[in-house]
Amino acid sequence: MKRTFHFLVLLMSALTAMAATNGPFAIRGYYTTFMRMPTFGLPEWKQMIDSMKEDGANFLFLWTAGGFRSKSFPITWRYNADHKNVDRDYAHELIDYAHSKGIKVVLGFTPFAYDGVNQLPLEHPELKATQKNGQPANFWGLHAWGYNLCPAKEASQKFMRDYVREMFFEFYPNADGLLIESSDYAICYCADCHGKFFDHEYAFVRQISDAVWLAKSDALIFVYPRYFSTGQVPQFGVSGARQKFDPRWSLFFTPHSAPIHDELAKQARSSVYWNDGLTIGTPPKIRDGARLARQRGLSGYIASCEPFSCIDGPPGSHNPRLKPFHMAWLHDGEMPLNELPVRLNRIAYREWTRQPALTDSAFHDILGRELFGANTDFQRIQDVLFLQDCWFHEADWFKPPKLHLPSDLKQQAAREKWPAERMQPYLDRVKHLRDIERRYATATSGAERQLHDVSTWILRPWDELK
Ligand SMILES: [Zn+2]
């Protein structure tokens, strides 16, 4: 009897260990830049939430600064006046809808930089940050063009507090918390910030966190590790700060700006690893993101899902409106998540966050069944993986891959005097896509039809070159 009991205890702990290494993540979901999707209204966002639900998500990082009609600081949204949520506020309803599907929502913004915030120096140039060379910050942005702020100035601190308080307490008190995304592109190098930039930034982070927790003690607040570790902060050539970590915080790690810090992660309420896998990546990138998060014992893996529909460039750039995931066939405002290349990434996200140890071949079986039905042949699976790779290989946030722009590609090759072997991989891809286009020419519906249509779409400008 005793022996049986021991055996059961051992079995239970083995099963628990297996679940810990291969069960679903506690936090699963997408990071979205709401403010850079001006054409989506509530109906489209409900579709987005429904899609997330299908993907097994329970979390949405909704980057909101610059995308709501602040009463205190109208300058923060003026550049984004045609955003549907600026025109008529619906994000409150969107958050309620997410909750009805079991999805928590935290509001994202960057302290002293990026969208919304970087507009303030247009009215208050005295708050501009200083560059390394001693000059004031450059006019720069992604969609929201402006200047990053110096956090050593009290007026910058007050603005950040008031702006985020307004966003969280007045506009969206139904949100579950905040993502305080420390900048990945600029800091301030003025005399007051020298060696202390992240201490100044931390002062705001601490104050807003306390204010939020005072009103909502279970609010989730995600912060970056750089305030609590003196290791070098990527991109800036400066060290982080030595502030005390409050275990009520959750941590957000990224491959390019916030390396995973194991000791801090252990102290945090929760911790997630992010990468761009869903927006400009492939299933292997999603797999690797999930596996890394699991290996390091984090609570979640978050993929960026950013179907931009904004206009990039400074005001007056006259650039065309971006198409979500560069899918130029979509109407303005049309949701792209069921288009084949993205759908494939979504399936990858769902499966690898449910089971990070899933093998590639098991994933291919699931993919085949879902897209083409039972007993599909391997050819179809290979074709869909290849097409997906052609969609996102070399894609940039704001630019489609070179394969989609053959005349630019050829000009670049001529300008830079490429040897033939550098062009050959593109030509090989074109040839391969022609085979796919032919193979599915008679398909009338479903993933097979999309295989044909997307191949045709990539090939058309190549045909026009001739
Ligand atoms: Zn400064």
Side-chain angles (χ1 to χ4, degrees):
M1 182 69 189
K2 201 170 174 205
R3 192 164 289 175
T4 315
F5 178 73
H6 268 289
F7 173 74
L8 279 174
V9 169
L10 282 173
L11 183 69
M12 290 296 285
S13 60
L15 287 173
T16 312
M18 270 172 69
T21 49
N22 203 27
F25 285 106
I27 298 179
R28 305 179 301 279
Y30 297 143
Y31 165 103
T32 64
T33 34
F34 179 66
M35 72 300 189
R36 292 184 194 151
M37 306 170 195
T39 60
F40 297 155
L42 186 59
E44 290 78 20
W45 272 97
K46 284 187 170 175
Q47 288 174 34
M48 175 87 117
I49 299 291
D50 292 344
S51 300
M52 286 180 64
K53 183 75 190 164
E54 285 169 25
D55 303 343
N58 59 12
F59 233 88
L60 170 62
F61 289 82
L62 189 73
W63 220 100
T64 313
F68 73 100
R69 200 180 185 88
S70 163
K71 294 187 192 89
S72 309
F73 305 100
I75 189 70
T76 57
W77 51 263
R78 201 161 287 149
Y79 80 98
N80 213 3
D82 67 352
H83 193 294
K84 288 202 169 175
N85 188 59
V86 170
D87 184 43
R88 193 195 73 81
D89 202 288
Y90 64 80
H92 195 283
E93 284 168 78
L94 158 63
I95 295 166
D96 284 345
Y97 186 74
H99 287 162
S100 77
K101 302 283 171 184
I103 295 173
K104 286 191 158 70
V105 182
V106 296
L107 309 176
F109 67 93
T110 289
F112 308 103
Y114 268 134
D115 307 43
V117 168
N118 69 357
Q119 301 300 291
L120 189 71
L122 300 175
E123 287 179 343
H124 291 281
E126 73 281 6
L127 300 182
K128 278 181 202 172
T130 302
Q131 299 179 60
K132 221 172 199 168
N133 64 11
Q135 296 299 307
N138 282 328
F139 186 54
W140 182 82
L142 299 170
H143 179 219
W145 281 61
Y147 306 90
N148 54 310
L149 278 67
C150 168
K153 297 191 167 71
E154 176 47 31
S156 303
Q157 292 271 342
K158 183 173 178 346
F159 159 70
M160 281 308 311
R161 291 195 299 269
D162 292 350
Y163 182 54
V164 176
R165 287 183 72 100
E166 184 189 25
M167 177 171 83
F168 188 76
F169 291 115
E170 290 173 40
F171 275 76
Y172 312 118
N174 55 341
D176 299 281
L178 298 174
L179 163 64
I180 306 180
E181 181 184 336
S182 191
S183 171
D184 61 1
Y185 78 94
I187 60 170
C188 182
Y189 294 90
C190 78
D192 291 334
C193 286
H194 183 74
K196 284 186 274 182
F197 176 86
F198 290 110
D199 292 298
H200 291 310
E201 186 171 298
Y202 173 83
F204 157 72
V205 171
R206 178 81 250 181
Q207 287 185 13
I208 194 70
S209 300
D210 286 338
V212 167
W213 281 326
L214 191 65
K216 201 171 189 169
S217 60
D218 63 340
L220 283 148
I221 304 180
F222 285 82
V223 297
Y224 274 41
R226 54 188 57 172
Y227 316 117
F228 319 106
S229 157
T230 50
Q232 282 274 305
V233 178
Q235 333 252 9
F236 304 132
V238 301
S239 308
R242 201 189 290 272
Q243 300 288 345
K244 191 171 166 350
F245 185 75
D246 183 328
R248 287 177 293 173
W249 273 313
S250 295
L251 285 164
F252 200 87
F253 298 110
T254 77
H256 68 297
S257 62
I260 297 174
H261 190 304
D262 297 307
E263 283 312 305
L264 280 172
K266 281 190 200 122
Q267 299 169 40
R269 174 176 174 184
S270 53
S271 53
V272 298
Y273 179 70
W274 167 101
N275 75 13
D276 57 20
L278 200 98
T279 303
I280 49 177
T282 53
K285 196 172 204 179
I286 292 168
R287 173 199 65 204
D288 294 348
R291 286 191 184 162
L292 179 65
R294 176 50 50 87
Q295 228 172 46
R296 305 292 283 269
L298 307 185
S299 350
Y301 161 57
I302 298 299
S304 138
C305 177
E306 301 181 67
F308 294 149
S309 68
C310 56
I311 296 173
D312 184 30
S317 70
H318 301 298
N319 285 333
R321 182 173 294 291
L322 290 163
K323 291 288 188 177
F325 304 122
H326 311 301
M327 292 168 171
W329 58 81
L330 296 170
H331 309 297
D332 274 352
E334 195 176 350
M335 260 295 173
L337 296 182
N338 287 320
E339 303 298 322
L340 191 58
V342 182
R343 192 171 159 211
L344 197 148
N345 276 355
R346 287 176 49 208
I347 297 170
Y349 183 83
R350 185 191 69 205
E351 292 304 320
W352 269 302
T353 53
R354 189 181 278 170
Q355 228 187 130
L358 184 76
T359 61
D360 286 1
S361 66
F363 169 65
H364 295 159
D365 289 345
I366 293 168
L367 191 64
R369 263 200 311 279
E370 186 150 337
L371 296 178
F372 306 106
N375 306 319
T376 190
D377 56 88
F378 192 57
Q379 178 78 61
R380 286 190 179 88
I381 297 164
Q382 275 181 315
D383 286 346
V384 82
L385 289 167
F386 179 76
L387 185 81
Q388 198 278 348
D389 196 67
C390 287
W391 198 264
F392 288 113
H393 180 75
E394 293 189 330
D396 178 72
W397 297 102
F398 289 90
K399 261 183 84 176
K402 291 191 179 105
L403 182 72
H404 301 193
L405 302 166
S407 73
D408 289 9
L409 177 68
K410 294 212 161 172
Q411 279 172 22
Q412 185 186 356
R415 199 170 55 240
E416 296 171 1
K417 300 192 172 54
W418 285 11
E421 60 266 28
R422 192 162 165 201
M423 183 57 97
Q424 197 55 44
Y426 297 100
L427 303 177
D428 292 344
R429 279 181 185 253
V430 167
K431 189 167 167 293
H432 194 153
L433 284 167
R434 289 197 195 286
D435 294 339
I436 293 178
E437 187 187 35
R438 267 195 297 275
R439 231 181 331 269
Y440 302 99
T442 57
T444 52
S445 64
E448 292 185 347
R449 185 69 212 169
Q450 285 200 45
L451 268 168
H452 172 270
D453 291 353
V454 178
S455 304
T456 304
W457 197 90
I458 299 174
L459 291 169
R460 191 169 299 140
W462 286 89
D463 294 335
E464 284 164 3
L465 266 188
K466 285 179 180 166

